[in-house]
Structures are given as structure tokens and as C-alpha cells.
Amino acid sequence: EIVLTQSPTTIAASPGEKVTITCRASSSVSYMYWYQQKSGASPKLWIYDTSKLASGVPNRFSGSGSGTSYSLTINTMETEDAATYYCQQWSSTPLTFGSGTKLEIK
Amino acid sequence: QVQLQQSGAELVKPGSSVKMSCKASGYTFTSYYIYWIKQRPGQGLEWIGRIGPGSGDTNYNEKFKGKATFTVDKSSSTAYMQLSSLTPEDTAVYYCARGGYPGPNRGDWFAYWGQGTLVTVSS
């Protein structure tokens, strides 16, 4: 099973600040996927195929990476970005998710 | 627009079974895998498995074999998941989700999600 380790677990950022969330895989994966989940809501696809933004996702978000190291970056934090973000891989079954990064507004 | 409408919350007793539904609309039901994902209260996401509505082909996370069973009704574009021999550890929100690309071997990721079904296992 591929273990995805996200860091940090929690982060607080001020509006306008740049934020980077990292997802490290225990073995190489082909692509990484990111989901945003707000409290009490279903997760939403946020980034697919490592770097493609899902429909409606602001272009201040970006995704990058390869092999065992991937990241989600917010260029300038906005209050609406406060949420938990999960990474996910399908290169190996079982499909696995990271344990999540909670992003808060400072 | 793509929608996945899940059935309502369930309160069930330990040792019993529960069957929940996921009604799809806004796309060709048989063209995309349906996935089931578990989220325990305050916890992360766990993949249970998937079903191909066109073929009926299923794949389960080893951890959920014997626990979860997937079926579909193509006539109503509805996917079902039954959970058996329930214990308090099965208390969770269960999501159905639709795959991102049609057909097999296109990657297993989750483009659209249902609103979730809360299952509470308690005597």
C-alpha cells in the first residue's frame, strides 16, 4: 500500500500569504490528485492529473510534482481557501489518501 | 449537470446490515465507475472500492472485502452499497463518487461526489 504523508498537518496563513502543502508518497506515483473539504461538506475535486485545476478553482491555486513528491500551492491566500486538503493516488491499489492538511486563516 | 444523490442517514444496531443508494444524473451512468469512500467522524478518507455500472465489475479494498457489497440498477441509474455485520467502527459518512474519465484504465480519481450518507451504529 502506498502511504501518502502530508505536511504540514495544520497551517495558519494570513490573507495574501503564499501557502504550500506537500504530499510525499512512500513509492513513486504517476499523478497526484487534490481535494478540498470544508466542514460539514463533501470533498470537492480541486486539482487533477497533478497540475490541472478542476472547474471553478481559482487560478491562484497550482499543483506540481513528480515521483514521490507533490505539492499544492496557493499563490495568495484568501479567506475562502480555509479548508482541509487531501491528496490521493491511484498508481497502486488500494487507492489511498493523505491524512489531510487543515488550512486556517490567521 | 452531474449529480449524485445519496440516501438519508441511518441509525442501525450492531450486527445488522444497511444498504444505501447513490442516484446518478446528468451523464451516461454506464460510462463511469462509481466509487465508495468512508470518512469516520473527524477523520480522513478511506477508499472502499468501485463498481463499473456497465459491466458490473467490482474491485474492493482488501480491508472491506466481506464488509461491503456493491450493486447497480442501470434502469434507474442508481448504485448501491450494502454494509454487513456492522460494528461501531463502521460509524461514518459514506460517499459515492464518480470517476474522472470514462471507461477503464483511465485512472481512479473522484471528479464528483455525493453529499454523503451518515451511518451510525449504536444499540
Side-chain angles (χ1 to χ4, degrees):
Chain A
E1 171 174 326
I2 293 180
V3 176
L4 300 180
T5 302
Q6 289 186 233
S7 60
T9 303
T10 307
I11 183 171
S14 301
E17 191 175 340
K18 184 174 183 177
V19 176
T20 297
I21 298 169
T22 297
C23 179
R24 298 196 190 281
S26 58
S27 297
S28 182
V29 300
S30 300
Y31 297 97
M32 192 61 71
Y33 299 78
W34 295 88
Y35 303 88
Q36 181 198 68
Q37 186 177 33
K38 296 193 174 183
S39 181
S42 306
K44 292 181 180 179
L45 176 66
W46 216 243
I47 294 174
Y48 66 102
D49 293 351
T50 301
S51 60
K52 299 175 183 176
L53 301 185
S55 177
V57 174
N59 61 12
R60 61 180 177 274
F61 284 85
S62 63
S64 64
S66 64
T68 60
S69 183
Y70 292 81
S71 62
L72 177 156
T73 299
I74 307 172
N75 202 36
T76 51
M77 175 77 179
E78 296 201 7
T79 54
E80 66 182 21
D81 301 336
T84 299
Y85 293 86
Y86 295 94
C87 56
Q88 179 249 323
Q89 65 81 28
W90 60 261
S91 290
S92 172
T93 54
L95 314 183
T96 52
F97 293 89
S99 55
T101 294
K102 186 173 184 179
L103 174 58
E104 299 172 330
I105 285 288
K106 194 182 291 183
Chain B
Q1 71 284 19
V2 175
Q3 288 191 323
L4 299 172
Q5 183 66 37
Q6 296 188 240
S7 50
E10 303 266 9
L11 173 60
V12 295
K13 295 192 184 306
S16 67
S17 298
V18 67
K19 189 173 184 177
M20 64 192 78
S21 64
C22 171
K23 182 172 176 57
S25 61
Y27 71 98
T28 303
F29 180 61
T30 52
S31 294
Y32 294 81
Y33 280 103
I34 291 288
Y35 301 82
W36 293 91
I37 295 135
K38 177 182 181 181
Q39 186 170 39
R40 297 196 68 190
Q43 302 299 310
L45 302 164
E46 195 170 17
W47 175 67
I48 300 171
R50 71 176 190 182
I51 184 166
S55 61
D57 181 42
T58 56
N59 299 96
Y60 294 93
N61 184 337
E62 283 291 330
K63 181 177 177 180
F64 292 94
K65 284 186 177 178
K67 170 65 68 178
T69 303
F70 308 141
T71 55
V72 297
D73 177 355
K74 288 189 278 189
S75 68
S76 63
S77 299
T78 303
Y80 298 90
M81 178 172 69
Q82 179 164 319
L83 299 174
S84 61
S85 303
L86 291 164
T87 73
E89 287 65 46
D90 297 315
T91 294
V93 175
Y94 293 87
Y95 294 103
C96 64
R98 197 206 79 174
Y101 294 128
N105 305 316
R106 299 290 303 278
D108 296 296
W109 47 281
F110 318 114
Y112 298 92
W113 295 65
Q115 84 275 22
T117 294
L118 173 62
V119 174
T120 303
V121 183
S122 174
S123 54

